[in-house]
Amino acid sequence: MTLTSRADGREILRLAVPAFGALIAEPLFILADYAIVGRLGTTALGALGIAGAAVTTLVNICVFLAYGTTAAVARQAGAGDLPRAVKQGVDGMWLAIAIGAALIAVCWPIAPWMVELFGATPDVADQAVTYLRISLLGTPAMLVILAGTGVLRGLRDTVTTLTVSIGSFTLNAVLNALFVLVFGWGIAGSAWGTVLAQTAGAAVYLATVVRAARRHRVPVRPDLAGIGALGTAGIALLIRTVCMRVVLLVATGVATRMGDAPLAAHAIATQIWTLAAFALDAIAIAGQAITGHALGAGDVRRTRAATRTMVIWGVGYGVVLGLLILPLAPVIPHLFGAEPTVATHLVSVLWLVALLQPLAGLVFVLDGVLIGAGDRRYLAWASAATTVVYLPAAYLVIHLGGGLVALWAALGLWMAARAVTLSLRANGRAWLVTGA
């Protein structure tokens, strides 16, 4: 191993290990909700699956607040301009607040229609609307967390994000247990617990970014030009994310039409997948920061070397995660209080979830590297192309009456298409643009 690869390995570990803890906190938020709400029965669990998918979609559509900010801040920091790097972060926070307020205004009145799109039964739909409307109140906080996370990652500080995530997750679990199991507020209690925990986390990020702005003499008042520029730059990442969310929403819709038990099983399997994905994405987060810094400093050779190292690590950790999921498959349903029919469906797809992990490791790492390089336009086009590959496969699952295994096989086809498009780009030179 060369000195460069060893140095890259240490830097990847320094960023990825705390990023891992911060990343898995988000699915752990929802997994804690599932574990507690599962005690309320299959109807409540199905409602959480639908409302959770809707909320996650709204937030993940805005993930450019984290990814775009990480790349922009890292590139400016790599070029040695820390005040400009912090200024990008301040603009990102204001943009997050504005988008969060807009989402509440738009989505609150149409919440029943959003739930109806999933084709849920009336009992499931009523509870899903309740959870969704309460959760909408926390969207500004969730988006502030995204933007604040992007700032700190770009500055290569993943320890603070880990600390905030652990605190928020702990508070979320305590409040959910208190509101649902002690106070008996039902699914509404789960939503309120999560909103309050996310608001506390957002307050910490706001304070952290404001302190950094004062230290570097960066104004914290809204800058419409800066906010607009950041929003414009994020359009391509928005397209990328929308395409990905279409895939996952279609999957939830297909599972919904299979019945309440398959829907509940799919919801839990999706959360297991998300937990594993976020674990692998820790390396991708390191990739965003390292790539942005290296290209900002004009170091193409280091960018290439770090990319190779991260790909090896991503695939390797994917193998490890797959080997962990397989033996745990019979136990996982019991962790969520799943009824026997739900457990049967869940176990039938967990083996496929496990087998897809190495491929996911490759996809997430290359995605992170290209985001860090600012290769947003290609990512948008590639995401659109892979979605076109997936949609006919999902249609065939419905048309031919396939079950959950067929649905997850279609998702596997989508991941394979992403691997091809990202690998082709990473092996070229068009994305290696240097300078601030």
Side-chain angles (χ1 to χ4, degrees):
M1 182 180 290
T2 65
L3 290 175
T4 300
S5 61
R6 283 199 295 269
D8 287 335
R10 288 193 295 269
E11 180 71 356
I12 293 167
L13 278 176
R14 186 182 73 81
L15 296 173
V17 171
F20 167 76
L23 283 166
I24 65 172
E26 179 63 24
L28 284 175
F29 263 65
I30 303 176
L31 283 174
D33 291 354
Y34 273 87
I36 293 171
V37 171
R39 272 61 184 175
L40 300 176
T42 300
T43 299
L45 197 58
L48 180 58
I50 290 174
V55 172
T56 301
T57 297
L58 292 175
V59 175
N60 284 357
I61 283 175
C62 301
V63 77
F64 69 88
L65 290 167
Y67 289 172
T69 303
T70 297
V73 171
R75 190 173 283 266
Q76 295 297 333
D81 193 346
L82 285 177
R84 185 168 177 77
V86 174
K87 175 63 167 57
Q88 297 266 5
V90 172
D91 291 340
M93 297 293 245
W94 280 111
L95 182 60
I97 293 171
I99 293 174
L103 286 176
I104 294 175
V106 171
C107 296
W108 179 278
I110 66 170
W113 176 79
M114 293 170 66
V115 169
E116 185 180 345
L117 289 176
F118 292 93
T121 60
D123 288 343
V124 171
D126 287 343
Q127 294 195 45
V129 171
T130 297
Y131 189 95
L132 176 57
R133 279 184 162 160
I134 296 171
S135 295
L136 284 172
L137 300 177
T139 50
M142 287 186 276
L143 299 190
V144 165
I145 289 174
L146 284 179
T149 299
V151 177
L152 296 181
R153 287 175 182 169
L155 296 174
R156 295 189 289 186
D157 175 10
T158 53
V159 175
T160 300
T161 60
L162 172 61
T163 303
V164 176
S165 295
I166 291 174
S168 298
F169 167 69
T170 303
L171 180 60
N172 176 70
V174 171
L175 291 177
N176 270 263
L178 182 65
F179 293 163
V180 176
L181 303 180
V182 178
F183 292 172
W185 291 358
I187 198 169
S190 176
W192 279 117
T194 301
V195 167
L196 292 175
Q198 289 164 337
T199 301
V204 175
Y205 277 113
L206 282 171
T208 302
V209 172
V210 167
R211 283 198 302 269
R214 289 174 177 170
R215 186 165 58 251
H216 294 285
R217 294 185 172 86
V218 174
V220 295
R221 64 180 178 275
D223 177 4
L224 295 182
I227 295 171
L230 185 62
T232 301
I235 290 176
L237 286 179
L238 176 63
I239 294 171
R240 161 197 171 274
T241 305
V242 167
C243 290
M244 294 173 64
R245 293 311 305 175
V246 165
V247 168
L248 299 179
L249 282 173
V250 167
T252 300
V254 172
T256 300
R257 283 158 177 78
M258 295 178 186
D260 287 353
L263 170 62
H266 176 73
I268 296 173
T270 299
Q271 295 312 312
I272 299 298
W273 169 269
T274 303
L275 180 61
F278 276 30
L280 292 171
D281 213 27
I283 303 174
I285 295 303
Q288 291 178 26
I290 292 171
T291 302
H293 272 260
L295 291 178
D299 194 342
V300 172
R301 186 179 66 85
R302 188 193 173 203
T303 303
R304 286 285 199 193
T307 299
R308 286 193 296 270
T309 301
M310 287 184 287
V311 165
I312 293 171
W313 285 27
V315 174
Y317 283 122
V319 171
V320 172
L321 284 172
L323 293 175
L324 286 175
I325 293 172
L326 280 175
L328 290 175
V331 179
I332 290 174
H334 301 290
L335 298 178
F336 297 91
E339 296 177 357
T341 53
V342 176
T344 300
H345 286 291
L346 179 57
V347 172
S348 72
V349 297
L350 284 177
W351 67 269
L352 191 50
V353 172
L355 290 179
L356 287 173
Q357 294 309 305
L359 182 64
L362 172 65
V363 168
F364 297 149
V365 166
L366 291 181
D367 193 53
V369 167
L370 295 179
I371 288 173
D375 197 19
R376 296 181 291 266
R377 183 174 298 179
Y378 179 81
L379 289 171
W381 283 109
S383 294
T386 55
T387 301
V388 170
V389 170
Y390 164 78
L391 291 177
Y395 171 76
L396 286 176
V397 173
I398 300 174
H399 182 69
L400 299 177
L404 280 185
V405 173
L407 174 59
W408 277 86
L411 289 170
L413 175 64
W414 171 60
M415 290 298 293
R418 291 187 67 196
V420 171
T421 56
L422 294 172
S423 297
L424 289 173
R425 186 65 165 183
N427 287 330
R429 294 189 57 84
W431 61 281
L432 294 167
V433 179
T434 58

